[in-house]
Amino acid sequence: MAWNKFVTLITILLVLLPTIAMAKEFVVGDDSGWKTNFDYEAWAKDKVFRVGDTLVFNYKAPNHNVFKVNGTGFKECIKPTENEAPLSTGNDKIDLKISGNKWYICSVKDHCDLGMKLFITVSDESSAVRGITLSGSYQAFMAVIMAITAIAALST
């Protein structure tokens, strides 16, 4: 009986853990971080951002900051109103909770004009769904685990 509960627990963990772990953390600019004179359009070009992923902006505070803006603010490098506070820790994390277009700029001096701005599109498909749908080998592995669980349950 204890063996059956153990196998069931392991099966549940094997099903849930990979889907939770599928969310990606994207360090903006990779090793270069969030800085002027960097091509963030090229950086984002081949990446697929999904609901559940996280953006990480690494930079030397207080030299930079991160503001979420709209398309016009991005295009024209317009700072948000003074009522809005920027992210400014130097290790800012933004969870991508909603699909759609997202725009970010640095509002320090002319940094936005010097390329410190990022535009991404976040897909509706969540990271957890991505993990389940893209991993055929994982699905085969889970089928084997489920079969072993069923056999173990029948033999007790």
Side-chain angles (χ1 to χ4, degrees):
M1 189 64 140
W3 172 251
N4 193 16
K5 288 181 181 180
F6 175 74
V7 171
T8 302
L9 177 64
I10 294 299
T11 302
I12 291 169
L13 287 174
L14 288 172
V15 169
L16 294 178
L17 285 178
T19 58
I20 293 168
M22 288 280 117
K24 288 187 178 180
E25 187 172 272
F26 293 94
V27 176
V28 176
D30 296 322
D31 292 337
S32 296
W34 184 236
K35 65 179 194 170
T36 57
N37 299 313
F38 185 88
D39 189 350
Y40 292 101
E41 182 178 351
W43 174 83
K45 180 181 176 188
D46 296 325
K47 293 174 177 52
V48 178
F49 302 96
R50 292 187 170 89
V51 171
D53 290 342
T54 301
L55 293 178
V56 180
F57 291 83
N58 289 325
Y59 55 92
K60 189 176 271 191
N63 299 343
H64 305 296
N65 62 31
V66 180
F67 262 112
K68 183 175 180 184
V69 295
N70 60 24
T72 303
F74 177 84
K75 183 179 177 184
E76 299 175 13
C77 289
I78 299 171
K79 286 184 193 181
T81 64
E82 302 229 356
N83 296 336
E84 297 179 52
L87 300 174
S88 58
T89 67
N91 183 28
D92 302 318
K93 294 185 179 190
I94 298 174
D95 294 327
L96 302 175
K97 297 177 182 178
I98 301 171
S99 63
N101 294 332
K102 311 291 180 198
W103 300 272
Y104 304 95
I105 67 169
C106 176
S107 68
V108 175
K109 301 178 186 175
D110 61 347
H111 292 186
C112 180
D113 292 319
L114 293 172
M116 237 175 134
K117 56 187 192 174
L118 172 68
F119 164 70
I120 64 169
T121 300
V122 178
S123 169
D124 261 339
E125 181 184 312
S126 76
S127 294
V129 171
R130 168 179 57 201
I132 293 169
T133 59
L134 293 182
S135 179
S137 60
Y138 174 73
Q139 289 173 343
F141 174 72
M142 287 313 303
V144 170
I145 294 297
M146 296 301 262
I148 292 170
T149 303
I151 290 168
L154 291 174
S155 65
T156 57

